[in-house]
Amino acid sequence: MKDNVDWRLDQWRAERPDIDPAPMGVVGRIQRACRLLERELRDNFARYDLQIWEFDIASTLRRSGYPYQLTAGQLVESSMVTSGAITNRIDRLVAKELVTREVDPQNRRSVLITLTERGKELIDRVVVEHVDLEANLLSQLSDRDQEHLAGLLRELLAGLGDNSPGNPLNP
């Protein structure tokens, strides 16, 4: 079975037989898979009037455990965006009444972002379909192949410096 990337690699092999385009195949497939998967996720979240980043932030709060609250700095760390971007994103989530923002009474220089009850109910509903969709998107791979792929991607990401920030509640 050949895919779209094979076609491009064959062209490179014909035009530049002096180079091995194999790395382009790996990176190209990761990029294409990312785009295709992201499109499916985006379409699914749109059914709930959510953007991918909105789900990301709200689900980060939800999985942090009760009281579903993190500082803006902890959200920046977990989402890997700038503090300016997180401020804009939080503003939009506040406008949708999915989160609240308040000054931390323990540290007045810090802002606490809390998932609202409405936000919690939405994420709890969406995450079930999200997991089902992802399982369906990966269904052409056996469970063993999925575990193997996950392990290989974990190694690649770690090698690229994408290390876990750890538990944002305990930096």
Side-chain angles (χ1 to χ4, degrees), residues 8-20:
R8 288 169 169 76
L9 295 177
D10 288 345
Q11 287 180 317
W12 277 117
R13 285 183 188 104
E15 293 298 316
R16 290 292 309 269
D18 57 312
I19 63 171
D20 177 9

Side-chain angles (χ1 to χ4, degrees), residues 19-30:
I19 63 171
D20 177 9
M24 295 170 79
V26 174
V27 173
R29 285 184 177 92
I30 291 170

